[in-house]
Amino acid sequence: MAEPTFEGVGIALLTQFTQDGAVDVAGTIDHARRLTDAGARSILVAGTTGEAETLDDDERVALIAAAREGLPDDVTVIAGASGSWPRGLAVRAAAARKAGADAVLVSPSRGGIPQADVFGAASEAVGGAERLIGYHNPGPLGVPGIEVDSLSKLPFGAIKDSSADPVRLLQELASWDGRIYVGSAALLALAGPLGATGALLAFANVEPETCIKAWDGDAKAQRSLTDIMLAVRKHGLRALKEATAEKYGTSPVCRLGLR
């Protein structure tokens, strides 16, 4: 296994599906390997971008195990393991670790359960806070956010912040000594030079090299991501899958669009 930490650009991995909606494990890992060959330092499996809400537990475990087995030893494999009930997500998080995940990503509960209880259960399940990443992505998922003032009180060692809020990023950097991963490609050229730990990005599925350049402070690379970001804002995940398919020949099928 790799270390639960990484620096630089990681990928919020798309899950590949066949035409009838079955999980294409081999196709998913082939795409992940392509991205790590391009310089990605981490792969997030079964996250929001991976259509996690459509995956059953066996499918999650199969993807995690295949990622750990099929990717280089120095690439950090992270698994999404969120859930509304602490004991249920703890079981999911423990299964992810057993399957080979180096770290687990968990968001707050939709059900109003105290965040200390949610993250405490997850931290215990994965073997400590160092292997747990809190997920701040308020709004689109209907999930509560994680307040900056709470970061030092919650049992995780890192946060993925998908708010795209530069002021919040500055506040995190100024007030917390944990690892900070931005989830917005719009902030790369700011977050990298400012000293954030890394990024976990959906857009790096289609533009890994450009995202890495932007992270290193290349303003031209940052600006060149505008079109794909606007397309996904307007058309959702399908636009990202279609752009990735056009570039790499991967599957454009979204389970969320199937009946």
Side-chain angles (χ1 to χ4, degrees):
M1 288 188 175
E3 292 298 315
T5 62
F6 74 98
E7 296 182 359
V9 173
I11 315 293
L13 188 67
L14 292 167
T15 302
Q16 300 297 303
F17 300 109
T18 64
Q19 286 299 120
D20 63 356
V23 173
D24 181 359
V25 174
T28 302
I29 304 310
D30 283 347
H31 182 53
R33 193 177 299 112
R34 177 186 298 117
L35 300 171
T36 58
D37 287 347
R41 303 307 309 139
S42 177
I43 296 293
L44 166 60
V45 181
T48 306
T49 304
E51 300 178 72
E53 64 189 283
T54 75
L55 301 173
D56 65 33
D57 288 341
D58 288 342
E59 290 169 334
R60 287 172 181 264
V61 165
L63 285 166
I64 296 163
R68 183 63 283 164
E69 182 178 352
L71 297 176
D73 291 343
D74 62 347
V75 170
T76 299
V77 173
I78 302 168
S82 297
S84 296
W85 186 47
R87 274 186 271 173
L89 73 85
V91 170
R92 179 173 289 168
R97 281 283 292 140
K98 185 176 180 180
D102 303 299
V104 170
L105 178 75
V106 170
S107 65
S109 169
R110 290 186 178 96
I113 296 171
Q115 293 185 9
D117 294 347
V118 172
F119 294 117
S123 177
E124 183 176 354
V126 300
E130 185 73 6
R131 297 192 180 275
L132 181 62
I133 304 171
Y135 187 19
H136 175 71
N137 189 23
L141 302 179
V143 174
I146 302 170
E147 296 297 328
V148 175
D149 292 344
S150 298
L151 292 176
S152 62
K153 306 171 187 176
L154 294 172
F156 49 67
I159 188 169
K160 179 187 178 186
D161 182 350
S162 294
S163 68
D165 183 344
V167 176
R168 179 187 163 96
L169 174 61
L170 290 169
Q171 186 183 5
E172 289 170 347
L173 289 166
S175 63
W176 190 52
D177 59 3
R179 303 184 308 280
I180 299 168
Y181 298 106
V182 294
S184 170
L187 296 184
L188 289 173
L190 176 67
L194 279 177
T197 311
L200 274 169
L201 304 171
F203 295 105
N205 280 279
V206 65
E207 293 290 351
E209 296 93 347
T210 305
C211 288
I212 291 168
K213 289 178 182 177
W215 175 258
D216 290 334
D218 186 329
K220 182 177 180 181
Q222 177 69 80
R223 291 195 300 268
S224 73
L225 293 168
T226 302
D227 287 347
I228 183 63
M229 287 191 287
L230 290 174
V232 174
R233 176 179 287 185
K234 183 175 182 179
H235 300 291
L237 179 63
R238 183 172 300 280
L240 180 61
K241 274 209 161 176
E242 288 175 351
T244 305
E246 182 176 353
K247 183 172 182 178
Y248 295 121
T250 54
S251 170
V253 175
C254 292
R255 259 190 186 176
L256 292 173
L258 295 175
R259 296 182 178 179

